[in-house]
Amino acid sequence: MKVAVLSRNPELYSTKRLIEAIEARGHTGVIIDHLKCDLVIESEGPAIYYNREKINDIDAVIPRIGASVTFYGTAVVRQFEMMGVFSTSYSQAIVRSRDKLRSLQILSGAGLPMPKTAFTNYSKEEKSLIDHVGGPPVIIKLLEGTQGLGVVLAETRKAAQSVIEAFHGLKARIIVQEFIKEAKASDLRIFVVDGKVVGAMKRTGVEGEFRSNLHRGGSAELVKLSRKEKSAAIKAANSLGLAVAGVDMLQSSRGPLILEVNSSPGLEGIEKATNIDIADEIIKFIEANQPKKRGVKSKLRTS
């Protein structure tokens, strides 16, 4: 089997580990920079050209699509799907997960617990927006932010109003969420593959930092999940249609609360914290879902 990792950087830990896992299981692994793919759409059927050569021998793809190139990256994944190539993540599922507001609406509709969240269309009623989530302190997030960037903790009403006014003045779309004090600058990253939890870690921010992201200097450790936490993580991934997902969750006094679901979760932090070969679990998932015959259109999820 020939498996392509769609990645812009062959030196990334996640990319290298996936190639290692593919080859360790006796398959052929290749790296394709999705931004260098040309998509040809015609009556004879969809085609992809890479480095001026037509791709016609790929059995499965593992999308590693960065948030800044979601539009073109998912177009490439969709083209592979239309060619009958198996993908570990549906293109539409990636799109859903990247839209923070839409994904939260889907998770809420599925009955999943989450911090109380408010959104408005540049309303000047900052006070009401803050009250909707229970008052200060509040978390203010850019809808397009990643890796903890564009996330602000406003500890007073005045500070929250000033931050909201500033973002709205820049025409930046934001959500406002309640602050879960008892989480103590920690969250859980739970890795789900094919409807099963295959690894979990607890991330804690550095002293004085409310964000727990490892990119912001946070630390990670192995954690044992409760049944509720496992169940919520699996349900969250399934609700967004993601077979491979990193589910971020807070531990609160009222139980687990879903923060977001990542469609291209990094492997480095969780593999080092848990000593679990997550990359191998992803390749086993591909093996269990052999690609369909080429030329047969896959049924894409469109909700």
Side-chain angles (χ1 to χ4, degrees), residues 43 51-52 64-65 74 90 163-164 223 261-262 273 279 294:
S43 58
N51 292 332
R52 298 187 178 183
R64 301 289 307 172
I65 309 298
T74 52
Y90 281 102
V163 172
I164 294 170
V223 65
V261 183
N262 194 318
R294 289 186 184 83

Side-chain angles (χ1 to χ4, degrees), residues 95-121 143 173-177 235-236 238-241 258-261 303:
V95 171
R96 279 196 296 268
S97 70
R98 287 288 159 74
D99 184 331
K100 280 190 175 70
L101 181 60
R102 183 181 182 190
S103 62
L104 288 173
Q105 289 173 319
I106 292 171
L107 295 172
S108 174
L112 282 155
M114 63 186 68
K116 188 176 289 186
T117 303
F119 173 77
T120 186
N121 188 36
L143 284 179
R173 296 195 180 278
I174 59 168
I175 55 175
V176 179
Q177 285 186 327
K235 188 175 180 181
N238 289 344
S239 296
L240 292 175
I258 305 294
L259 281 176
E260 65 179 300
V261 183
S303 62

Side-chain angles (χ1 to χ4, degrees), residues 2-303:
K2 191 170 184 179
V3 182
V5 179
L6 303 183
S7 172
R8 298 186 63 196
N9 187 351
E11 297 305 314
L12 287 177
Y13 177 94
S14 298
T15 303
K16 291 193 287 188
R17 282 289 298 116
L18 288 166
I19 293 295
E20 289 172 3
I22 291 166
E23 295 176 348
R25 297 191 66 83
H27 309 298
T28 300
V30 295
I31 300 170
I32 294 176
D33 183 342
H34 37 283
L35 289 195
K36 294 181 180 178
C37 290
D38 294 332
L39 311 183
V40 178
I41 304 163
E42 56 186 347
S43 58
E44 285 78 8
I48 299 175
Y49 286 80
Y50 185 63
N51 292 332
R52 298 187 178 183
E53 292 186 10
K54 187 176 182 179
I55 294 177
N56 55 20
D57 59 350
I58 301 297
D59 298 296
V61 295
I62 303 173
R64 301 289 307 172
I65 309 298
S68 63
V69 294
T70 297
F71 176 80
Y72 198 77
T74 52
V76 173
V77 176
R78 189 160 53 248
Q79 192 85 340
F80 273 113
E81 291 169 349
M82 298 303 291
M83 292 162 58
V85 176
F86 178 78
S87 174
T88 55
S89 296
Y90 281 102
S91 56
Q92 286 301 311
I94 298 172
V95 171
R96 279 196 296 268
S97 70
R98 287 288 159 74
D99 184 331
K100 280 190 175 70
L101 181 60
R102 183 181 182 190
S103 62
L104 288 173
Q105 289 173 319
I106 292 171
L107 295 172
S108 174
L112 282 155
M114 63 186 68
K116 188 176 289 186
T117 303
F119 173 77
T120 186
N121 188 36
Y122 305 130
S123 168
K124 294 186 181 296
E125 295 297 323
E126 290 87 4
K127 182 178 181 298
S128 296
L129 200 59
I130 296 164
D131 290 338
H132 287 325
V133 299
V138 297
I139 300 292
I140 302 166
K141 295 181 181 180
L142 279 173
L143 284 179
E144 293 80 19
T146 61
Q147 298 178 351
L149 296 173
V151 181
V152 178
L153 169 62
E155 300 194 57
T156 66
R157 183 177 295 276
K158 186 175 181 180
Q161 287 182 252
S162 295
V163 172
I164 294 170
E165 286 174 1
F167 277 136
H168 281 175
L170 296 170
K171 298 298 180 184
R173 296 195 180 278
I174 59 168
I175 55 175
V176 179
Q177 285 186 327
E178 67 172 312
F179 177 62
I180 308 300
K181 184 179 180 181
E182 62 268 28
K184 297 179 180 178
S186 295
D187 70 3
L188 304 179
R189 162 58 65 87
I190 304 171
F191 216 105
V192 176
V193 178
D194 197 19
K196 301 185 293 290
V197 171
V198 297
M201 63 179 173
K202 185 171 186 175
R203 305 181 297 189
T204 303
V206 296
E207 187 174 353
E209 173 61 74
F210 73 96
R211 296 169 294 184
S212 60
N213 303 71
L214 300 185
H215 293 88
R216 308 262 71 80
S219 59
E221 61 181 337
L222 179 68
V223 65
K224 185 175 181 179
L225 301 176
S226 68
R227 287 186 180 180
K228 275 189 175 182
E229 289 163 347
K230 283 185 179 180
S231 177
I234 292 168
K235 188 175 180 181
N238 289 344
S239 296
L240 292 175
L242 288 168
V244 175
V247 181
D248 294 343
M249 182 184 297
L250 292 177
Q251 294 175 304
S252 79
S253 57
R254 60 182 191 263
L257 301 176
I258 305 294
L259 281 176
E260 65 179 300
V261 183
N262 194 318
S263 58
S264 295
L267 301 182
E268 185 171 11
I270 196 154
E271 286 197 338
K272 290 182 177 179
T274 64
N275 254 344
I276 296 171
D277 192 341
I278 303 292
D280 184 66
E281 295 292 333
I282 295 172
I283 309 311
K284 286 193 288 188
F285 164 57
I286 293 174
E287 292 172 342
N289 292 266
Q290 291 300 306
K292 299 175 183 179
K293 262 189 168 183
R294 289 186 184 83
V296 179
K297 293 183 180 180
S298 58
K299 294 180 180 179
L300 304 184
R301 303 183 188 192
T302 57
S303 62

